[in-house]
Structure formats: C-alpha cells, structure tokens
Amino acid sequence: MRKGDRLKEKIIKKEQIGKWLEKLGKDYEIWAPVKKNGLVSFYPIQSAKEIYFDFLNSKKTPKDLFFPQSEVLLSFPKEEVGKEVKTILQKPRIIFAIRPCDAKSLALLDQVFDSEDYQDPYYVERREGILLVGLACTHPQQSCFCTSVGGGPFEKAHLDLVMADLGDGKYFVEALTQLGEGLMQRDDSLQDVQEKDREKLAKTKEEAEEKVKSKLVTKGLEKKLDKIFDSPLWDRVHQRCLGCGICTYLCSTCHCFALLDEKDKARVKRIRNWDSCMFPEFTVEASGHNPRISNRERMRQRVMHKFNYFVERYGETACVGCGRCIQSCPVNIDIREIIEEIRNE
Amino acid sequence: MQESEKELREVAKKLLLEKKVDLIIGYEEGTLPLRTRPIFIREADETKKLVWNFRCENNLCFYLKMAKERVGIVAKGCDIRSIIGLIKERQIKRENIFIIGVPCSGIIDRKKIEDILEGRELLEGIESDSQIILKGEGLEEKVDKDKLVHASCKSCKYRNPVLYDTLIGKEVSQGEGEEYSDVEEFASKSDNERWAYFNDEASRCIRCYACRNVCPACYCPQCFVDQSLPTWFGRTLHPSDTLIFHIIRTLHIAGRCVDCGACSRVCPMNIELRMLNKKAEKDVKELYHYEAGISLEELPPMATFKMDDPQEFIK
C-alpha cells in the first residue's frame, strides 16, 4: 500500500460522528436513515442522534432524492406560458450511510438519465450536488443477493467515502474520491488506522460476505430470456401477482415515469410522476388498446427489462440484489425463484 | 392445527380427483420465515403442498375475481364474507365456487413481529399452537400468539364460517365482537387532530395501490384514480391527492367492507386507515342495521331503498 493511500483511511469513534456531521452540516444538507412509524427511510437530519445506525436497509430506496416520485417540472401562471421554473438544491447534499447496493443502483440510473445521448437536467443537477457516504453492510439479509449481480456488502464503487462498523465502537473510514477526502479532512480528530483495525476490517468484511447466502447465476440470463418470450413459464410465475406497484416503487433501479399536466385557477403545472409497468394503464394506447393485457405480460416486462433489455442496452443487469421486492411483496413473489425457473426452462 | 392441515389436503385432493373443481386456491409455505403464500393447484398430487395455520394472512378472494373455472377455495371467516359480497354483487357465481371453510382463531400480524424485532432480522420462526419462537442473530424470543393477532381478528365474531361447502377441523371460540370504542374515541377528537392523523398516515402513501388491488370489494375494471380521460385526481404524493384516494375508497366500500384487514396487511408503508373503514361500518350498521357478508339474501343497503331508511339529511 502506498503512503498516500493510508492518508485516505481513518478511524472514527461512534461518539465522534456527531461532531463530524455538525461540521459537515455547515455546508451540506445531510440526509441519513431515520426510523419513523416503524420504517427506516432517508430524511434530512440536524443531529447524528436522529440516525438509526443499526438498520438492515431502508424501506424506500434513496433514489427519490435524485428522481422524486412526484416532481413539478414546469409551472407557470396561465398567462405566462413557457416560463420555466427549475428546482435547484438549496445546499449541496450528503447522503449519509447509503448501502453499497443502493449506490450501485445510482450508477445504473446514471446510464439512463445522464448518458451521452440524453441528459435529464433535473436528475443531473441533483446528482452533481450530492455526495455519497456509504455504510458497508455488516448484516446482509436472507433475501439479499448483491454478490450475484456484481455487488457486495463492502463494495466501494460509486461512493465518495465509505464507512464500516468494526463492532468495537469504531468505524473504519475510507475516502474514495477527492470530495470524499475533503469530507474526511473537515475533522482533524479522526484517528490514524492501526494494523489491528485493518485486521478487524478484513474479518468483518469476510463475515458479511458469508452472510449473503443466496447465490444466483445471472450470467447468460439475457440470452436465455431472448428465447423464452412465449414460454408457459410466464403463466406460472405471475399467478399470485396482485398487480400492485410495491416491487417497482420500492425497487432501487426502476425508473419509469409518466408526465401529467395539471391546471387550477391560477397555474399550469407539468408534473412527472413515477409509473409502474405492473399497472394496466402503463401501456394503454390512445385507441384504448392495451398490448399488455394481463399480469402475465406485465410481469414478463418487468423481468425482461431488468435482465434482458437493460443488459442489452447498458451491459449490466438492472438489479442490485437488495431484496426489497422479496421482502415487501404481499404474496411473497420471489425474484430469486423466478431467475432459477428461467435458468431451468 | 396439523390435523386440520391433513384433512384439508385430503378434501382438496378428493375434489380434484372427482373433478368437482378444476382448481384449488389455498396456501403454501413461502420463501421467508413465517411467510405463507397463495398457491394454485390443478394436479391432485400437488395438494400435499397445502398448509393451514395462523400465518395464512392473504385474502384469496382477489383470485376469484378473475377465475373462469370451478374453483375450490380455502377460506377463513372473513374471506367467506368477502365471497358472499362477490356473489351478491354478481362478480362470481355461487355454483362455480366450492368453499373449503376453515375456522380461524385469528391470524398473526407481521407488523407486530417487526415491532418486537426492532430492526433485527428474523432468521427463523417456529410455531406451536399458542406460541411463536422468533430466532435471529443473538435473538431468541418466545411470544404468545395472542399478542400477535391482527386487530381485525381480535374483534371478529365470524371466526367460524357463515357459509361453506365443507368445513375443515373444529369450530373455534368467537372473538370479542364489535368494538367501536376506538372509533368513538377517535371521533371525539377535534377536527384538527383528526385531520392531522389522516394527513400523517396518507403522507406515507407511495400509491402502489396494493390496498385497493387486494381488496375483495374493489373490482372496478378501471379505478377512478387511474382514469386519465378525464383525469379525476392528481397523481402526486401530496395528501390532497393521496388522502382523497383513501377517503373515496372508504366511501366506495362502505357497507361492503368486511374488515378482513387485508388492506392494512399488504401496505408496505404501515399506513393504518382501518379507523376510516370501521367508522363507515359502524354508520352502516346504525343507519341500516346491516352487516356485510353475512347472508346471501339480505339486500345491500346502498342498492336498496326502504321507506323507513333514515332521511335526516333531507331538509
């Protein structure tokens, strides 16, 4: 390890985090996991005391901080047609304690909203103003399968800074970008890393990786899907589906939306709302015809988009293995089983 | 419990072998601890997968709404009340449904388990007749089943099916009966307090519509909230959009809701709007002396007119 690398690593005690965040809070709006009504989600915080550090993962993904579920894109008085109102972040933001799987999902969304062909100004503006401070996942759940889709509980990709709970009241902190380094340097009370901390980190990482028990083979899945578009498999896997939007709205990579214009007495608004391929209206054409007539076609679309179309277009699977769809499906539809079935078909 | 499961499998197998039904809809074990899930069985051999226990939380009537065959359905007291509603409203034909009634002393509410877990992961759940052992990393807790029973089941007085073609197992003791003290207490609060409560609940809504989709009383081919020509309601997350959806749904199912609790169990955001539905149920009961899903003959109050119906609203 080079000397410069070591400077990018520090140790912070749990009780020091509050002070550190206080310093960062002067220039950044900090969003972190907070437990409200029994659910953990990302909220802006004033103090580290509000943070729920022991969360498995948040119920909702942090994607709505970049791509809100409902956003006014344009709004103008009826008389002033064409005047654009853009949302601008008041302050740069930090998403504190984002899980590696959710960070990976942002990298996937970047390909959609910030590509060479197309830049979504609303997404891009937020993305550029937000720093990602990751919290390595020491408690992967039974439903997690990040290691099968190119991730891992201690994966550092796409983060500015990563922290790992060493379990002894200390966190290992590593800066991964210049901006991340800047965040670390804000607090000079962070301590140097000792060899035993490094050993602890390696051990914690190994233990976490062992906890990811679900192993799926996703390699070549896209080719298999090419061949089974009309397979009776789809008759089987959709049977239980209620056709609700839980799996899509809690998914960290789903990104479909619908535009709607609204007007009241004074103003006209163009609003972008999330939409779900599991809803019948998603594909209703102007004639009234609906090419995806039942849950069979809709569920096939969801699987195809994640494991075939996205792979074809961007070279990666649009699933990060966070397991939220498995955990929250009211009828226990399990994407791991569906992948297995596809492979065995 | 195990005996009734055995009986259930035998009954289902016989129904398929004798070709009395084409399809059995019931429950099987799921892929996560303590979870069961709907299963669709067409082959007699598959009936060994059927389970029946106090974890069978789904109201399977959703699947009757689209069934075109003769279906045998495993149904709890509340599910049967939903079936009666669907027959009365001519959504399904009685002769196409074979009701395998299961007396039910209440199913468990997974949200209560989550409260006990306090963020820890449940790795295993072991059940006995009256207790559940919750196991996780550094966790082993014995909990009485009674403490985990869903709110709707606690007060249920139709734990034994009111209509069935065959009954599995023995009848059970009924619940405490309607209890509207919580509704009355809530109704006595100020407008502002009530408004704040509903706004707070609706503010978590992500518009996944799981509550509507799972509801046996919600079967409109197109829901008012999905119509876009014209768009009746906004699609944003503002409570003026989300709350109006929930309030209108309550009004649409007033006098039809059987308080099966499926809407609150499927909600991923822990939204608790049962209070609204209970209030509607109470009003219908007081005004029209009617309870939904009890008899096939009694006409639904919203579809009939009687000279002695309360008419105080006509001034």
Side-chain angles (χ1 to χ4, degrees):
Chain A
M1 191 176 287
R2 296 192 311 271
K3 205 181 168 199
D5 286 343
R6 286 187 180 266
L7 290 175
K8 289 178 188 165
E9 295 173 348
K10 290 277 181 193
I11 291 291
I12 188 166
K13 286 187 182 158
K14 196 168 179 181
E15 62 265 24
Q16 283 178 298
I17 291 177
K19 274 255 159 66
W20 179 40
L21 289 183
E22 213 173 280
K23 285 175 186 161
L24 297 179
K26 287 183 183 133
D27 298 318
Y28 295 94
E29 191 180 278
I30 301 171
W31 289 63
V34 174
K35 198 175 185 181
K36 277 188 194 174
N37 296 98
L39 303 172
V40 179
S41 271
F42 284 81
Y43 292 99
I45 54 151
Q46 302 305 321
S47 145
K49 284 185 197 125
E50 297 167 58
I51 302 176
Y52 187 68
F53 278 99
D54 297 325
F55 73 120
L56 296 167
N57 204 352
S58 58
K59 188 78 185 189
K60 282 173 83 177
T61 79
K63 82 174 168 190
D64 58 355
L65 300 181
F66 302 87
F67 169 46
Q69 182 161 0
S70 181
E71 178 176 26
V72 178
L73 302 182
L74 299 166
S75 162
F76 44 84
K78 269 189 190 162
E79 311 78 59
E80 291 178 48
V81 175
K83 195 176 163 193
E84 188 178 350
V85 182
K86 250 185 89 173
T87 326
I88 293 165
L89 292 183
Q90 300 295 319
K91 242 183 179 183
R93 277 182 191 167
I94 289 172
I95 302 187
F96 187 79
I98 185 172
R99 293 292 186 202
C101 52
D102 291 336
K104 183 170 193 275
S105 70
L106 287 173
L108 296 171
L109 293 181
D110 286 348
Q111 310 210 49
V112 178
F113 290 114
D114 190 12
S115 68
E116 272 182 27
D117 305 332
Y118 171 76
Q119 290 89 38
D120 182 283
Y122 306 90
Y123 178 90
V124 171
E125 194 181 326
R126 288 194 173 89
R127 189 75 169 95
E128 282 171 356
I130 298 183
L131 297 187
L132 302 180
V133 173
L135 181 61
C137 194
T138 43
H139 289 279
Q141 301 177 69
Q142 279 175 320
S143 50
C144 290
F145 56 99
C146 55
T147 51
S148 300
V149 281
F154 273 58
E155 184 58 51
K156 303 174 199 170
H158 320 297
L159 295 167
D160 292 293
L161 191 114
V162 67
M163 301 173 62
D165 187 351
L166 298 181
D168 51 3
K170 289 192 283 189
Y171 284 79
F172 193 100
V173 185
E174 185 185 352
L176 301 160
T177 62
Q178 272 194 339
L179 288 166
E181 221 173 315
L183 298 182
M184 203 161 83
Q185 283 161 1
R186 284 296 183 91
D187 195 335
D188 48 21
S189 62
L190 268 59
Q191 297 146 6
D192 289 335
V193 175
Q194 306 295 319
E195 200 44 46
K196 65 175 193 311
D197 298 323
R198 222 177 284 285
E199 283 163 18
K200 196 88 197 263
L201 177 73
K203 194 167 167 269
T204 317
K205 179 171 183 265
E206 200 184 296
E207 281 169 5
E209 281 163 357
E210 266 173 32
K211 280 182 196 153
V212 188
K213 296 266 195 300
S214 293
K215 304 283 180 215
L216 302 171
V217 184
T218 50
K219 196 165 175 272
L221 200 64
E222 72 281 4
K223 292 202 181 72
K224 190 70 186 270
L225 282 166
D226 271 339
K227 293 180 207 145
I228 60 164
F229 193 80
D230 291 317
S231 162
L233 170 137
W234 304 111
D235 296 326
R236 294 196 300 274
V237 297
H238 89 278
Q239 277 190 115
R240 281 196 298 275
C241 182
L242 298 173
C244 77
I246 292 179
C247 53
T248 43
Y249 285 179
L250 296 184
C251 175
S252 57
T253 68
C254 275
H255 52 266
C256 288
F257 58 80
L259 293 172
L260 197 75
D261 290 347
E262 274 187 16
K263 65 177 192 320
D264 55 28
K265 279 182 185 149
R267 297 187 78 79
V268 177
K269 287 180 203 162
R270 170 153 297 173
I271 304 172
R272 169 158 74 182
N273 297 310
W274 287 359
D275 203 351
S276 168
C277 57
M278 299 311 297
F279 294 157
E281 292 71 25
F282 189 76
T283 41
V284 176
E285 294 169 3
S287 64
H289 172 66
N290 192 348
R292 289 189 206 139
I293 194 75
S294 75
N295 283 348
R296 175 185 183 272
E297 289 77 19
R298 291 167 211 143
M299 183 169 279
R300 177 175 66 194
Q301 165 63 23
R302 185 170 144 76
V303 174
M304 289 296 279
H305 192 183
K306 298 209 172 296
F307 299 99
N308 180 290
Y309 310 145
F310 202 91
V311 182
E312 193 180 302
R313 182 141 190 196
Y314 302 111
E316 277 183 277
T317 298
C319 170
V320 296
C322 69
R324 284 184 177 92
C325 56
I326 305 169
Q327 290 280 345
S328 290
C329 177
V331 289
N332 190 211
I333 291 174
D334 192 324
I335 188 71
R336 294 171 300 179
E337 284 182 310
I338 297 178
I339 292 174
E340 263 316 294
E341 277 213 46
I342 294 168
R343 291 200 62 81
N344 296 332
E345 184 69 9
Chain B
M1 193 66 81
Q2 272 175 343
E3 268 172 40
S4 39
E5 206 168 82
K6 210 173 135 201
E7 195 185 337
L8 168 66
R9 289 172 188 174
E10 274 162 19
V11 165
K13 191 172 178 179
K14 210 167 155 220
L15 284 171
L16 285 169
L17 286 175
E18 291 174 358
K19 299 202 187 308
K20 284 194 176 141
V21 300
D22 307 301
L23 169 71
I24 295 280
I25 307 177
Y27 304 92
E28 67 169 340
E29 284 299 334
T31 64
L32 296 171
L34 294 180
R35 290 295 301 267
T36 65
R37 59 183 183 181
I39 183 175
F40 306 86
I41 300 178
R42 287 190 168 80
E43 304 297 330
D45 276 354
E46 298 253 292
T47 50
K48 56 181 181 286
K49 288 185 184 165
L50 284 170
V51 298
W52 165 246
N53 51 52
F54 47 69
R55 299 179 282 110
C56 296
E57 62 173 58
N58 299 113
N59 182 335
L60 303 176
C61 293
F62 169 81
Y63 306 104
L64 291 179
K65 293 188 262 182
M66 42 195 167
K68 293 182 183 72
E69 322 147 268
R70 287 171 307 158
V71 178
I73 184 169
V74 181
K76 308 182 283 285
C78 52
D79 305 340
I80 288 167
R81 292 178 64 193
S82 311
I83 293 173
I84 291 175
L86 288 168
I87 294 170
K88 256 159 100 156
E89 294 173 15
R90 307 209 179 140
Q91 296 303 306
I92 52 175
K93 289 196 174 114
R94 176 68 184 98
E95 60 268 30
N96 287 349
I97 311 292
F98 189 97
I99 304 172
I100 308 169
V102 280
C104 161
S105 43
I107 51 146
I108 55 166
D109 184 351
R110 282 188 288 123
K111 281 160 193 167
K112 289 188 176 162
I113 294 180
E114 277 167 29
D115 288 344
I116 295 171
L117 293 171
E118 287 183 323
R120 293 166 297 183
E121 189 190 9
L122 180 69
L123 292 175
E124 199 187 350
I126 305 164
E127 61 178 77
S128 66
D129 275 349
S130 60
Q131 280 188 324
I132 292 180
I133 303 168
L134 306 174
K135 283 187 171 180
E137 220 180 281
L139 163 86
E140 184 164 337
E141 207 161 324
K142 254 188 206 168
V143 191
D144 283 343
K145 184 216 147 193
D146 286 346
K147 285 190 185 147
L148 300 173
V149 165
H150 195 270
S152 299
C153 307
K154 254 199 170 143
S155 57
C156 174
K157 55 173 187 171
Y158 297 103
R159 289 179 170 183
N160 295 311
V162 292
L163 176 77
Y164 55 84
D165 295 298
T166 187
L167 193 69
I168 303 292
K170 293 190 190 88
E171 295 210 334
V172 295
S173 59
Q174 301 291 13
E176 299 151 2
E178 264 108 21
E179 236 281 57
Y180 293 118
S181 60
D182 49 350
V183 176
E184 279 154 12
E185 192 196 320
F186 186 74
S188 70
K189 290 184 179 179
S190 73
D191 291 0
N192 284 343
E193 277 175 297
R194 281 180 287 148
W195 186 239
Y197 172 83
F198 289 129
N199 263 298
D200 190 42
E201 293 299 307
S203 70
R204 292 198 297 282
C205 181
I206 56 168
R207 305 191 69 142
C208 67
Y209 303 129
C211 52
R212 173 198 70 188
N213 287 19
V214 78
C215 178
C218 275
Y219 50 72
C220 291
Q222 195 179 32
C223 179
F224 67 92
V225 84
D226 287 330
Q227 290 177 6
S228 56
L229 288 170
T231 303
W232 297 108
F233 293 99
R235 307 280 165 93
T236 75
L237 291 188
H238 192 277
S240 65
D241 286 338
T242 53
L243 190 52
I244 203 83
F245 160 67
H246 291 289
I247 290 173
I248 292 185
R249 208 178 79 78
T250 296
L251 294 175
H252 280 184
I253 62 170
R256 304 166 59 234
C257 167
V258 298
D259 191 21
C260 70
C263 51
S264 65
R265 287 197 292 276
V266 297
C267 179
M269 304 310 289
N270 295 0
I271 297 171
E272 194 48 82
L273 292 170
R274 189 167 166 255
M275 198 76 80
L276 273 178
N277 294 330
K278 284 303 274 184
K279 174 75 170 91
E281 179 189 288
K282 182 172 177 277
D283 287 351
V284 169
K285 204 169 172 188
E286 285 169 6
L287 292 168
Y288 308 108
H289 316 292
Y290 180 86
E291 259 186 299
I294 305 303
S295 90
L296 280 170
E297 293 76 32
E298 202 180 347
L299 293 168
M302 299 301 164
T304 47
F305 174 75
K306 287 182 197 156
M307 285 311 285
D308 59 351
D309 276 346
Q311 293 173 3
E312 284 87 60
F313 61 93
I314 305 174
K315 299 279 174 196

